Amino acid sequence: MKTRIGILTGGGDCPGLNAVIRAVVKAAAKRDWETLGILGGFDGLLSPPRQRLLDYHEMDALLFVGGTILGTANKGQFAAKTGHGDVRRIPNAILAEAQRNCANLGLRALVVVGGDGSLTIGQQLFEQGLPVVGVPKTIDNDLEATVVTFGFDSAVASATDALDRLRTTAQSHQRVMVLEVMGRYAGWIAVEAGIAGGGDVILIPEIPFRYDRLCQKILEREREGKTFTLVVVAEGAREQAGEYVTAGSGEANREARLGGIGAVVAAEIQQRTGKETRVCVLGHLQRGGPPTNFDRFLCTRFGVHAVRLIAEERYGQMVAYRPPDMVGVPITEAIGRLRTVPQDGDIVQTARCLGISFGD
Ligand code: F6P
């Protein structure tokens, strides 16, 4: 019987998941291994397990297809995060069932493609005895131990494109346009797209803002004859001493769903400055569609390196990008704490040197 490995995608989807699956299947096939895709995220490991053999030839067109052919979930029995990022221990019976089913399926190892939450589950499965290797996915780019996660570059590209489009309509109508982007508790998407898209104000969770400061920036622009303003707001941004703005009432065993801060900020700007203001919530457009060329390249390297880690039996490790190399690092190094935008780092300084306001 051939050596058999498994792969699953967990958490929110993002561009590049299929590119990783393709690279894993192809690199495994080169070693004469077969790859079993676990369907529907971690829940696919519960009895009866849901899986299918991934055919080498099926992988041809997958490089640029968004989403995940395996399906995914960011809720259910395997939710490892609740509230605002609190870690939940998955019940032992569930972990044991998943481990048993992997053994019954004949898996030598399981590749877990996921962000903070999914890699936390992966680590718990590893501690239960399952040979796990991780691949860092998330548009939020908030994982430690790797300089970048895949999906992030594609999300920044979507947000930058949105800003390019908002600029012309803002300019035509002499309005303030507020763009709300994702990113949970990290402002990476907001700050990188904000700079790349020529934003004037960028509000991020790392730098709590004040309305008087951000409105001051808008009025200053007016005085300079710049009668429109682009404001980029990360969904996790909040006022100094303020609360996160969440969407819905929140479900049990699920992380709080951030969202709505853009509308709150837009209303406050209009009321304080008298400038006509509109809001655009980019939402899941940031997660759909084809990966950028950078993400395709990164995903391919991540997938190939994950197979290399399995060949070397380096379980409990995650593939990490440390330019110019791909390396293996303990999963625990990636999930210990969130990687956020350094408040006084070069990126924020660069923005400030351009006159971009963080509303502080
Ligand atoms: O973690 C990825 C992410 O897109 C976050 O940026 C966002 O807060 C969340 O997932 C949205 O999740 P859902 O798809 O459940 O609305």
Side-chain angles (χ1 to χ4, degrees):
M1 193 179 146
K2 278 188 174 181
T3 293
R4 178 184 272 189
I5 63 171
I7 181 166
L8 67 77
T9 51
D13 73 335
C14 77
L17 285 163
N18 285 327
V20 173
I21 295 167
R22 168 184 176 270
V24 166
V25 172
K26 288 192 129 183
K30 283 280 168 229
R31 292 176 189 267
D32 207 24
W33 300 352
E34 59 185 18
T35 308
L36 214 56
I38 306 296
L39 307 179
F42 289 93
D43 283 342
L45 292 174
L46 295 178
S47 304
R50 284 177 295 131
Q51 83 287 332
R52 72 179 174 89
L53 212 47
L54 297 173
D55 179 43
Y56 180 81
H57 300 287
E58 185 197 343
M59 299 300 121
D60 284 350
L62 275 190
L63 187 56
F64 50 83
V65 180
T68 162
I69 57 164
L70 300 178
T72 187
N74 60 0
K75 62 177 185 177
Q77 308 227 51
F78 280 94
K81 292 284 176 98
T82 60
H84 289 297
D86 306 323
V87 176
R88 169 177 171 260
R89 170 87 198 155
I90 310 294
N92 275 337
I94 302 268
L95 294 172
E97 186 177 326
Q99 191 207 4
R100 239 183 356 259
N101 283 330
C102 283
N104 291 341
L105 291 170
L107 299 186
R108 163 170 167 178
L110 178 69
V111 179
V112 170
V113 187
D116 181 42
S118 302
L119 291 171
T120 300
I121 302 166
Q123 175 63 21
Q124 292 183 16
L125 283 169
F126 171 65
E127 287 165 11
Q128 187 78 21
L130 192 71
V132 166
V133 162
V135 177
K137 165 235 75 167
T138 168
I139 62 163
D140 305 336
N141 199 31
D142 57 359
L143 279 175
E144 284 286 355
T146 179
V147 302
V148 70
T149 58
F150 79 85
F152 171 65
D153 187 66
S154 302
V156 171
S158 297
T160 306
D161 177 61
L163 281 170
D164 292 348
R165 292 166 192 273
L166 292 175
R167 167 177 298 275
T168 54
T169 170
Q171 211 159 13
S172 307
H173 286 268
Q174 308 198 344
R175 283 175 172 160
V176 177
M177 294 297 307
V178 176
L179 175 69
E180 179 182 310
V181 298
M182 286 183 168
R184 282 202 209 274
Y185 307 100
W188 293 107
I189 299 175
V191 79
E192 292 209 8
I195 293 173
D200 307 298
V201 178
I202 302 174
L203 306 179
I204 57 175
E206 294 84 349
I207 306 178
F209 65 88
R210 285 172 45 176
Y211 282 111
D212 56 342
R213 292 288 162 79
L214 96 85
C215 290
Q216 194 183 322
K217 172 72 187 173
I218 294 167
L219 296 173
E220 251 171 50
R221 283 177 56 79
E222 290 287 314
R223 283 194 294 276
E224 289 168 6
K226 295 178 177 172
T227 51
F228 75 98
T229 297
L230 290 179
V231 180
V232 188
V233 187
E235 61 181 0
R238 53 179 171 165
E239 221 187 325
Q240 288 180 14
E243 301 287 329
Y244 292 117
V245 177
T246 54
S249 52
E251 296 165 45
N253 284 347
R254 193 161 187 190
E255 229 178 335
R257 196 148 66 82
L258 296 173
I261 181 72
V264 175
V265 166
E268 196 71 28
I269 290 173
Q270 180 152 320
Q271 199 246 316
R272 289 183 184 232
T273 65
K275 287 280 300 174
E276 198 169 35
T277 305
R278 295 287 189 267
V279 61
C280 169
V281 180
L282 194 55
H284 292 78
L285 288 175
Q286 289 155 103
R287 295 228 311 248
T292 56
N293 56 346
F294 176 83
D295 270 335
R296 293 179 199 194
F297 181 56
L298 187 66
C299 289
T300 303
R301 294 185 70 191
F302 273 159
V304 168
H305 202 81
V307 171
R308 197 174 298 149
L309 290 183
I310 294 174
E312 293 169 6
E313 301 191 343
R314 290 167 61 190
Y315 303 129
Q317 297 212 353
M318 180 192 86
V319 182
Y321 185 38
R322 302 265 173 87
D325 297 319
M326 285 292 161
V327 297
V329 297
I331 293 175
T332 47
E333 272 185 31
I335 60 175
R337 68 188 173 99
L338 286 187
R339 193 169 76 91
T340 52
V341 178
Q343 284 174 34
D344 294 315
D346 185 67
I347 294 176
V348 169
Q349 293 305 334
T350 299
R352 288 197 197 278
C353 286
L354 291 171
I356 294 173
S357 164
F358 286 88
D360 58 336

